[in-house]
Amino acid sequence: MFKKVMETINFLESKVNTKPKIAIILGSGLGGLVDFIEDKKSIPYGDIPNFPISTVEGHAGELVFGKIAGVEVLAMKGRFHFYEGYTMKEVTYPEYVFKMLGIEKLIVTNAAGGINKDFSAGELMIITDHINMFGTNPLIGKNDERFGKRFPDMTEVYSKNLISLAEKIASKMKISYKKGVYLGTTGPTYETAAEIKMMEIIGADAVGMSTVPETTVSNYLGIETLGISCVTNMATGIAVKPHSHQDVVKTANEAGDCLCKWIVEIVKNI
């Protein structure tokens, strides 16, 4: 892994001269943040050594280097999912690259289904914690101490400092938001009504098919992380109509402008 990561780093450093400290992962339908990035340098995943390629509609598949309000950032436009057939190491490969590039803070976004009945489609949720229902863990396997400790603590996967900052900025911008626990599962099927009922009982407020592997690894790597979900639909048994990925992307696009402006202000104030 370390050798592969360094091959990727050497390639990226040959293409860009910037040294961003902040990375942003853009979820389904949330790629509009790239429009707020200036002095952009985009690199397709397919050109990057050892990088997987996103195969999902709504995930463009490129790394974007540039600046938001003068702050150097790296945006991941499109992510990798376990349900695409990638291993957990492949799904979380970008986080290892972030670490070796010098990234110190990570903002993760996603599209999620609402479980908490106080939520509604189109709302934004700050992730306070997560539940891993992938049935596996991205850190399984031989540990390389150059990346992190064998048994990482999970007390604060989502940074309390960044959550506080996000809340203060939302209040100032009059952005409505919720806070809650995100549950990650494999997909690609949407959950059954019985599964959603079980998830509600164990404390989940929203459910999705990403984020948990990535933030588990960012925590392991010592990267301070903020997670924000866009609740694109209410989950099975709560929603009144069947789900479709097209509707998820449509709702994410509609809520995306507000989320993007929020993230811009967060980046400016980190």
Side-chain angles (χ1 to χ4, degrees):
M1 173 70 85
F2 188 81
K3 182 180 178 182
K4 286 184 176 181
V5 169
M6 294 315 297
E7 288 174 356
T8 303
I9 295 297
N10 290 336
F11 171 81
L12 293 175
E13 289 182 341
S14 74
K15 298 295 181 181
V16 294
N17 296 319
T18 60
K19 294 289 184 182
K21 300 296 182 185
I22 302 169
I24 308 165
I25 299 177
L26 305 174
S28 296
L30 299 170
L33 183 71
V34 171
D35 294 336
F36 292 82
I37 299 177
E38 302 171 342
D39 302 327
K40 287 190 286 282
K41 170 67 175 180
S42 299
I43 306 175
Y45 293 159
D47 294 347
I48 304 173
N50 306 316
F51 236 70
I53 298 173
S54 181
T55 65
V56 183
E57 179 187 348
H59 290 258
E62 57 186 11
L63 284 183
V64 182
F65 291 82
K67 296 178 180 179
I68 292 178
V71 180
E72 290 186 349
V73 297
L74 167 57
M76 191 173 167
K77 193 176 181 184
R79 55 153 53 90
F80 313 117
H81 303 82
F82 195 46
Y83 65 72
E84 293 177 80
Y86 291 120
T87 67
M88 276 293 182
K89 290 296 184 187
E90 290 171 327
V91 168
T92 59
Y93 185 77
E95 283 66 53
Y96 292 91
V97 173
F98 292 165
K99 172 69 173 180
M100 302 314 290
L101 273 175
I103 296 296
E104 296 175 355
K105 291 176 171 50
L106 173 65
I107 301 172
V108 180
T109 68
N110 61 52
I115 295 175
N116 189 320
K117 294 182 180 67
D118 290 334
F119 292 5
S120 58
E123 286 193 300
L124 302 174
M125 182 190 88
I126 295 175
I127 303 174
T128 57
D129 205 347
H130 73 226
I131 299 171
N132 180 2
M133 286 192 66
F134 280 84
T136 187
N137 189 296
L139 300 177
I140 289 174
K142 185 178 180 181
N143 187 60
D144 190 332
E145 291 287 335
R146 288 172 289 188
F147 290 124
K149 298 177 181 179
R150 170 76 283 185
F151 300 107
D153 177 71
M154 298 288 283
T155 301
E156 196 176 326
V157 178
Y158 303 91
S159 166
K160 292 179 181 178
N161 286 336
L162 292 182
I163 289 173
S164 177
L165 174 63
E167 290 187 282
K168 289 176 183 176
I169 290 171
S171 177
K172 184 177 180 181
M173 296 179 71
K174 294 181 170 52
I175 292 174
S176 175
Y177 68 93
K178 295 290 199 297
K179 292 168 70 177
V181 175
Y182 176 92
L183 186 147
T185 186
T186 65
T189 55
Y190 291 103
E191 303 73 31
T192 67
E195 288 168 342
I196 292 300
K197 185 176 180 180
M198 177 268 294
M199 293 172 186
E200 182 181 19
I201 290 169
I202 65 174
D205 294 292
V207 59
M209 305 171 192
S210 67
T211 301
V212 169
E214 296 148 309
T215 56
T216 297
V217 171
S218 66
N219 177 71
Y220 159 74
L221 295 168
I223 300 173
E224 194 175 3
T225 301
L226 173 69
I228 303 176
S229 293
C230 176
V231 179
T232 53
N233 57 280
M234 295 308 292
T236 310
I238 303 171
V240 296
K241 65 176 184 177
H243 306 307
S244 76
H245 184 65
Q246 289 73 24
D247 287 343
V248 166
V249 173
K250 180 175 181 292
T251 304
N253 283 329
E254 291 169 353
D257 184 59
C258 180
L259 177 56
C260 290
K261 290 176 180 177
W262 192 9
I263 291 175
V264 166
E265 290 302 312
I266 291 170
V267 168
K268 285 168 63 175
N269 286 276
I270 285 179

